Amino acid sequence: MHYSKLRISADATSKLRFLRTRTGLTPNLLCRIAIMLSLEEGPLGTAPVPDEAGSEFNAYTLTGEYAGLIAALLRWVEEGPSPDQPLENDELIVRLRGHIHRGVGTLSVRSKAPADVLRLVAGAA
């Protein structure tokens, strides 16, 4: 999966602002957690594609040294273990945006304080 910049939805951007205030975590870290939470829920299926009217992230800022791992997990969840036809790069990016959107929504409901994020991460381990 190759991209240099990724723009997320306006809704996710708004929720990230509140989450940053509640938790003290930066938006890129919150997005990483959101991606993992969403991937844990499974494929997006027929979920509507989120808009691109929100914040823009550089690829490295968003995923850091975990870009390869996140791409592999995204492919695994969205394509399954033995895909008949692998998803194109553009479709993978759309699905990554979708997972950020869904995951940030989940985080905004479950996280009212920094300890809540820790419980979410520790519960997944």
Side-chain angles (χ1 to χ4, degrees):
M1 179 172 65
H2 302 288
Y3 63 98
S4 59
K5 295 181 186 274
L6 183 85
R7 189 171 289 277
I8 63 172
S9 68
D11 184 47
T13 299
S14 176
K15 288 177 181 174
L16 283 172
R17 282 191 199 111
F18 287 116
L19 283 166
R20 183 177 189 165
T21 302
R22 287 183 196 161
T23 65
L25 296 173
T26 60
N28 62 313
L29 293 177
L30 290 166
C31 282
R32 291 178 195 182
I33 294 167
I35 291 166
M36 293 299 122
L37 285 173
S38 182
L39 289 173
E40 190 174 46
E41 291 180 33
L44 292 172
T46 59
V49 176
D51 64 68
E52 294 184 63
S55 296
E56 183 176 76
F57 291 91
N58 290 321
Y60 189 80
T61 302
L62 183 61
T63 56
E65 63 272 16
Y66 304 108
L69 175 64
I70 290 172
L73 289 171
L74 179 63
R75 280 193 179 280
W76 178 265
V77 169
E78 290 296 329
E79 295 175 346
S82 301
D84 294 332
Q85 186 170 351
L87 294 171
E88 296 291 328
N89 189 62
D90 291 344
E91 182 60 25
L92 279 173
I93 293 169
V94 166
R95 297 204 188 182
L96 177 61
R97 287 180 34 246
H99 280 288
I100 291 171
H101 183 81
R102 181 169 76 177
V104 167
T106 300
L107 265 178
S108 70
V109 171
R110 294 186 184 177
S111 302
K112 306 298 180 203
D116 295 333
V117 175
L118 182 59
R119 278 190 281 276
L120 283 171
V121 173

